[in-house]
Amino acid sequence: CEQVGVTPDILLFAKGVANGLPLAGFITRKELSDKCPPGTQGGTYAGNAVACASAAEVIRVFRDEKILDNVVQRGQELFTLLEAMIKRNNFPIQEVRGRGLMIGFQFTDNAPAGIAATVVKEALANSLILLNTSKFETIRLIPALNVTKEQCEEAILVLEQSIKAALASEKFTNKQTAVGFRN
């Protein structure tokens, strides 16, 4: 919210707040919360003591280990590394987008159909886990929030080799059409 200058009326959170344990919550301004009498807010993920203890530890780790500072720094580095990789190789990628460490890049419309899935397979064969998404030729990088600079650099090297291998694969270089072979 701070990055885009928005002050929400209500902010919802879940999933990672308790490191995978069932917990969700919301934050709101006092003038809004004063309109909700005690006991009117609840849910399936509310009040679990173990999940609450986990959330307290997650908050402590985020603060003490400066996790959000790392997210910002590594995110900026990944954007820079990705854009340099694309320019250096003239890869058919139209844009890099995202925020923090949730970063995606989309291949151009003239990139071969199926290129994202092929890159993901090539990367996985070299121990880099990527996620291709949607009907578009898009790949997401979502590293751990405590990823190091060295790990980001290594991941980009593997990604670069994976894109080169995918673009050079028989799947995309030997497109042959069988015309006139009817029985």
Side-chain angles (χ1 to χ4, degrees):
C1 297
E2 293 172 356
Q3 293 175 340
V4 293
V6 172
T7 303
D9 292 327
I10 299 173
L11 182 65
L12 305 173
F13 56 90
K15 287 188 175 182
V17 70
N19 203 33
L21 294 177
L23 187 67
F26 72 95
I27 301 168
T28 189
R29 297 188 317 268
K30 182 167 178 21
E31 64 267 16
L32 293 176
S33 66
D34 285 347
K35 295 179 182 187
C36 299
T40 60
Q41 300 301 313
T44 310
Y45 294 155
N48 178 312
V50 174
C52 289
S54 179
E57 183 64 9
V58 167
I59 292 167
R60 185 198 64 74
V61 167
F62 263 64
R63 182 191 59 236
D64 294 354
E65 297 182 17
K66 298 180 176 30
I67 297 293
L68 293 180
D69 292 343
N70 189 66
V71 167
V72 170
Q73 192 168 19
R74 298 293 90 78
Q76 291 169 347
E77 289 167 0
L78 277 172
F79 263 85
T80 300
L81 290 167
L82 278 167
E83 292 187 353
M85 176 198 72
I86 293 163
K87 186 176 183 180
R88 181 173 55 250
N89 294 283
N90 198 28
F91 285 146
I93 295 172
Q94 70 183 30
E95 72 173 329
V96 177
R97 59 182 177 258
R99 181 169 287 143
L101 285 173
M102 183 180 260
I103 300 171
F105 61 91
Q106 185 172 339
F107 287 91
T108 60
D109 291 339
N110 61 351
I115 187 67
T118 304
V119 170
V120 168
K121 287 177 189 172
E122 289 284 343
L124 186 57
N126 291 292
S127 302
L128 178 62
I129 300 172
L130 302 171
L131 179 63
N132 61 321
T133 61
S134 74
K135 67 179 184 174
F136 303 105
E137 297 288 344
T138 302
I139 295 178
R140 282 195 285 179
L141 291 81
I142 309 176
L145 302 181
N146 62 347
V147 67
T148 65
K149 180 177 184 174
E150 294 75 22
Q151 290 168 328
C152 289
E153 291 168 348
E154 182 181 348
I156 295 301
L157 290 175
V158 172
L159 175 61
E160 184 171 15
Q161 293 309 311
S162 299
I163 294 172
K164 286 178 180 179
L167 289 170
S169 73
E170 277 189 36
K171 181 177 182 179
F172 301 123
T173 57
N174 292 332
K175 295 221 175 204
Q176 298 174 352
T177 30
V179 178
F181 290 96
R182 292 183 188 233
N183 291 333

